Amino acid sequence: MKPYVILNAAMTLDGKIATKTGSSKISGKKDMIRVHTLRKNMDGIMVGIGTVLADDPKLTVSKIDAKREDNPIRVVVDSQGRTPINSRVLNEKAPTIIAVSSKYSNTPKIKELAKKADIYVSGKEHVDLSKLLDYLYSKGIKTLMLEGGSTLNFSMIKEGLIDEIRICIGPMIVGGKYAKTFFDGEGIDYMEDSIKLDLTDIEQLDQDLILTYKIIK
């Protein structure tokens, strides 16, 4: 059994989730409230190590009224165990699980991280995402919000591990071939092999457009 996974993100009209400098403030105040309301209703929230290194997020519910127990369990996919010890994702606001590969699981750094987070090991050099989701379900995480970087997003959807996408489209264009897109990774070669989506909802929040899709499996 695996959690129901909702990929949530904001992107510009041209599909960028961050500029080449890493700037990523896209959505407005109402969308931030939407996102934190969604977080409050999730059992877990997952990001990749790239997001932790770039943004140092807390991954807690802070934009709406909430109690400590409303914070979802935080999950970091970090194959090489690069999460900084002083990362805000390791604070005491909520439990944290760091998923690492077996190749990097016995380093002194992992032993330090184990003092602040639960360490889950799977995969030889890269975390086995399917096994990770099985583990998360066994830990009581039945619903999981993916806020991932573009590489993790693609890895998850390629393996069929995403059930729903909620995307906020901000009214802006940034361009740039080095700017991060919604999905990155190796990509798909032919359109006929693309992952198909079913549009289930459209909502406007001020100038932001929120689209909800179910993944057709």
Side-chain angles (χ1 to χ4, degrees), residues 31-32 90 101 117 125 140 145 150 152 155 160 168 175 206-207 213:
D31 183 62
M32 290 301 295
L90 296 175
S101 66
E125 294 189 13
M145 182 175 176
S150 53
L152 179 58
S155 296
C168 170
D206 291 333
Q207 293 297 306
Y213 295 90

Side-chain angles (χ1 to χ4, degrees), residues 29 33 65 69 81 133 135 141 147 162 170 181 183 203:
K29 181 178 180 180
I33 292 173
D65 290 334
E69 54 265 30
L133 262 60
Y135 172 76
I141 299 177
E147 283 194 9
I162 296 174
T181 58
F183 290 94
E203 180 183 8

Side-chain angles (χ1 to χ4, degrees), residues 19-90:
T19 68
K20 63 182 179 181
T21 66
S23 177
S24 60
K25 183 173 176 52
I26 296 172
S27 60
K29 181 178 180 180
K30 287 186 179 180
D31 183 62
M32 290 301 295
I33 292 173
R34 177 191 67 85
V35 171
H36 282 252
T37 301
L38 181 58
R39 284 184 180 183
K40 185 178 179 179
N41 291 305
M42 294 287 104
D43 298 321
I45 180 170
M46 186 165 79
V47 298
I49 181 58
T51 298
V52 172
L53 295 176
D55 300 335
D56 192 22
K58 291 183 290 186
L59 301 181
T60 55
V61 182
S62 59
K63 303 299 183 182
I64 59 174
D65 290 334
K67 301 177 182 178
R68 187 180 187 277
E69 54 265 30
D70 292 325
N71 291 322
I73 296 173
R74 302 171 293 193
V75 183
V76 180
V77 179
D78 182 11
S79 294
Q80 299 180 26
R82 295 186 292 153
T83 302
I85 294 296
N86 61 348
S87 295
R88 295 196 297 175
V89 76
L90 296 175

Side-chain angles (χ1 to χ4, degrees), residues 131-198:
K131 289 183 179 179
L132 170 60
L133 262 60
D134 288 338
Y135 172 76
L136 296 179
Y137 192 91
S138 74
K139 300 295 286 186
I141 299 177
K142 304 300 190 292
T143 55
L144 179 67
M145 182 175 176
L146 175 60
E147 283 194 9
S150 53
T151 300
L152 179 58
N153 288 348
F154 183 75
S155 296
M156 287 284 289
I157 202 165
K158 181 183 178 183
E159 293 189 30
L161 300 176
I162 296 174
D163 299 287
E164 184 177 324
I165 294 174
R166 299 187 188 183
I167 182 72
C168 170
I169 301 176
M172 57 187 74
I173 292 172
V174 296
K177 64 180 180 179
Y178 298 113
K180 286 287 186 180
T181 58
F182 189 20
F183 290 94
D184 201 341
E186 63 191 58
I188 293 171
D189 292 334
Y190 301 100
M191 285 295 179
E192 56 263 33
D193 298 324
S194 64
I195 289 109
K196 305 303 190 295
L197 310 174
D198 179 25

